[in-house]
Amino acid sequence: MATPPVAPPNMEGGPPPVVAQPPGTDMTDICFKDQLWLNSYPLDRNLVFDYFAISPFYDWTCNNEQLRQRSIHPLDRDQLVKMMGTEYWLSEVMEPHLFVFRKQKRDGPEKVTPMLTYYVLDGTIYQAPQLCNVFAARIGRALHYISKAFTTAASKLEKIGYVDSENEAAAFESKVTKETIDFKEVKRVDLILQSLQRKLEPAPPPPPFPEGYVPAPTAEAENGTETQEAGETQNLQIDPIIDQGPAKRMKF
């Protein structure tokens, strides 16, 4: 198994030993892969923790490191449940491609608090992003594409409206052009009609009616008669007291 880096002995007058600092909580922007180690050892559940221990994601103050110093397998669950503090727990395994480590704080045999998650995918170690960061990234990406779609739609609608306005203006101009009256042409047509009317002979009179035939009254004559009767009736209704006589008049 890989051994942790050992600080040089503190000589008289020398600097104090360097204490390894725990890794940061957000290291999602980096990954780790040691091709030399992968070429030398197989990547399985027995040696994957040794490979993880040489990465910058490893916390040297964890309980697994204490088990390594005591020559106990660092992923021995029977030993880890008896300890308190930070530990790495191998939660999922799909040899030899995927290994998932969960960093958690143990406060009792059955009481643990998850902290971070790491995974080894085909020899490369990553830190899994937190759920809130995943949601924020997905929502931000969705909003970006929605905003882009609205911008594209607005630009296309503006272009369509501009083309429609141009078409309407062109149609209106053509309509106005068609409806424009050329008075010279009208006067010319009138002159032609008048000259033709002078050249033609006048229409012959209508033939006489046969004997005993009474022409039917025309609509104009009927309208005239009705108008005359209505006028006489209206004239008669102007002062109805005159026709009622003295006996039929209102008494006050």
Side-chain angles (χ1 to χ4, degrees):
M1 294 188 297
T3 57
V6 180
N10 187 11
M11 300 180 180
E12 297 181 359
V18 179
V19 180
Q21 298 294 328
T25 56
D26 187 7
M27 302 177 68
T28 55
D29 55 341
I30 64 172
C31 62
F32 174 80
K33 184 175 184 179
D34 190 343
Q35 192 62 43
L36 182 61
W37 192 98
L38 295 173
N39 295 335
S40 303
Y41 305 97
L43 193 61
D44 54 15
R45 66 177 62 229
N46 294 322
L47 297 178
V48 66
F49 191 83
D50 295 333
Y51 181 59
F52 180 77
I54 62 176
S55 70
F57 304 106
Y58 186 64
D59 187 358
W60 293 95
T61 62
C62 63
N63 296 336
N64 308 82
E65 184 61 26
Q66 298 180 20
L67 294 179
R68 293 178 70 192
Q69 293 176 0
R70 289 155 47 185
S71 300
I72 302 176
H73 196 280
L75 297 178
D76 190 347
R77 299 191 175 188
D78 295 335
Q79 297 293 330
L80 288 174
V81 296
K82 299 177 183 178
M83 306 174 70
M84 301 293 178
T86 305
E87 66 183 16
Y88 291 95
W89 191 272
L90 185 62
S91 58
E92 296 183 18
V93 177
M94 293 179 59
E95 292 182 343
H97 302 290
L98 179 64
F99 303 88
V100 180
F101 288 98
R102 185 173 66 243
K103 185 179 182 180
Q104 57 191 14
K105 182 179 181 182
R106 182 174 294 278
D107 297 323
E110 301 295 335
K111 186 178 180 181
V112 294
T113 303
M115 299 172 62
L116 296 171
T117 302
Y118 304 90
Y119 59 96
V120 184
L121 180 62
D122 292 331
T124 305
I125 305 176
Y126 306 89
Q127 177 183 341
Q130 297 184 4
L131 191 58
C132 60
N133 296 335
V134 174
F135 283 158
R138 296 293 175 85
I139 292 173
R141 183 178 298 177
L143 290 176
H144 168 72
Y145 286 113
I146 291 173
S147 176
K148 186 177 180 181
F150 274 112
T151 304
T152 304
S155 62
K156 289 186 177 180
L157 288 176
E158 290 178 358
K159 186 176 181 181
I160 293 173
Y162 178 73
V163 172
D164 290 343
S165 61
E166 284 187 348
N167 294 337
E168 291 177 0
F172 180 75
E173 290 178 358
S174 61
K175 185 177 180 181
V176 170
T177 304
K178 290 179 181 179
E179 293 179 354
T180 302
I181 300 174
D182 191 353
F183 292 98
K184 293 182 179 180
E185 292 292 332
V186 173
K187 189 175 180 180
R188 181 170 175 273
V189 172
D190 291 342
L191 292 175
I192 293 173
L193 293 176
Q194 290 177 4
S195 62
L196 290 174
Q197 188 176 4
R198 285 195 222 96
K199 293 179 180 180
L200 294 175
E201 297 181 358
F209 294 106
E211 296 180 0
Y213 176 77
V214 179
T218 60
E220 295 179 357
E222 291 180 356
N223 293 336
T225 306
E226 292 177 357
T227 304
Q228 185 177 1
E229 291 177 357
E232 293 176 356
T233 305
Q234 187 175 5
N235 294 333
L236 294 175
Q237 293 179 357
I238 292 176
D239 191 3
I241 298 176
I242 298 175
D243 296 335
Q244 293 178 3
K248 296 182 180 180
R249 293 183 181 181
M250 296 178 62
K251 296 180 181 181
F252 294 96

